[in-house]
Amino acid sequence: MLDPEVFSTQRLVASAISLEHIDLIAAMHQNPTMMATLGGLQDRQRTQQGLEMQTNDWQQAGYGLCVFHDRASGAFVGRGGLRLVQLDHQPETEIAYALLPEWWGQGLATEIARQARVVAFEQLQLDSLVLFTMTTNFASQRVAEKLGMVYERNFERANLPHVLFRQTRQA
């Protein structure tokens, strides 16, 4: 299994997401500003179900999402990393991140996404990565562009309009 520390960045310390993080993630999922970009508020039960699936990713694939804390202060920043998803009934690996609003605009989402891409392509030798976000989340679309990901298409996920970006590993 991949060491979660490989997802740490210059400014952030990562640890594999688990049910131990329920209080942090549940509070994050009740933040209306942040959750406006992720399809709406989630109750604690839905958050727990998500954490169980994300913990499963670590057990099955050997990688998954992490929680991130600020290296300097220790404050909780959000979650991110690599996530197993199904798109059009096909397995994909998604670069995912969600940060509390007080951490927005500091380049941290890009920092997490870049490190996740390094892990995916250089350590895990994955062939392809996707990143998708709601069509209204221009900040996340900008992260995809900074990574050099290519727009693939618009689609619907959880009954909401999304945009899909993809990047393949260079041989």
Side-chain angles (χ1 to χ4, degrees):
M1 180 183 297
L2 194 63
D3 180 355
E5 184 62 27
V6 301
F7 286 103
S8 294
T9 71
Q10 181 179 352
R11 296 183 287 170
L12 301 171
V13 176
S15 57
I17 204 163
S18 72
L19 289 173
E20 293 174 18
H21 301 113
I22 184 77
D23 291 335
L24 292 173
I25 303 298
M28 185 173 82
H29 287 171
Q30 287 298 303
N31 184 304
T33 303
M34 193 201 90
M35 293 307 289
T37 65
L38 294 173
L41 300 177
Q42 291 184 21
D43 64 23
R44 191 175 180 90
Q45 181 180 358
R46 186 165 171 210
T47 297
Q48 181 170 336
Q49 290 169 345
L51 285 174
E52 288 168 357
M53 288 189 326
Q54 293 157 12
T55 300
N56 239 10
D57 286 352
W58 278 99
Q59 293 168 351
Q60 290 180 0
Y63 62 88
L65 293 181
C66 294
V67 293
F68 287 90
H69 289 83
D70 180 66
R71 196 176 286 280
S73 69
F76 175 64
V77 172
R79 58 119 178 109
L82 298 170
R83 182 171 84 137
L84 300 174
V85 295
Q86 289 283 320
L87 288 178
D88 300 327
H89 308 290
Q90 296 295 316
E92 300 276 5
T93 300
E94 175 196 19
I95 294 178
Y97 47 83
L99 306 179
L100 292 169
E102 56 266 30
W103 296 96
W104 292 359
Q106 300 176 41
L108 295 173
T110 302
E111 195 171 302
I112 290 168
R114 281 190 175 127
Q115 185 62 19
R117 181 182 61 189
V118 167
V119 170
F121 289 150
E122 294 180 14
Q123 294 184 326
L124 299 172
Q125 297 291 302
L126 299 178
D127 292 325
S128 176
L129 289 172
V130 297
L131 186 154
F132 54 86
T133 186
M134 291 176 56
T135 56
T136 55
N137 190 342
F138 300 112
S140 277
Q141 291 175 43
R142 181 72 185 119
V143 170
E145 292 166 356
K146 287 179 185 177
L147 292 177
M149 298 185 91
V150 176
Y151 167 81
E152 189 166 294
R153 64 185 164 91
N154 285 19
F155 72 109
E156 198 170 283
R157 185 169 179 88
N159 298 316
L160 295 167
H162 282 71
V163 61
L164 174 67
F165 293 86
R166 181 178 301 277
Q167 189 167 40
T168 55
R169 181 167 48 101
Q170 304 301 315

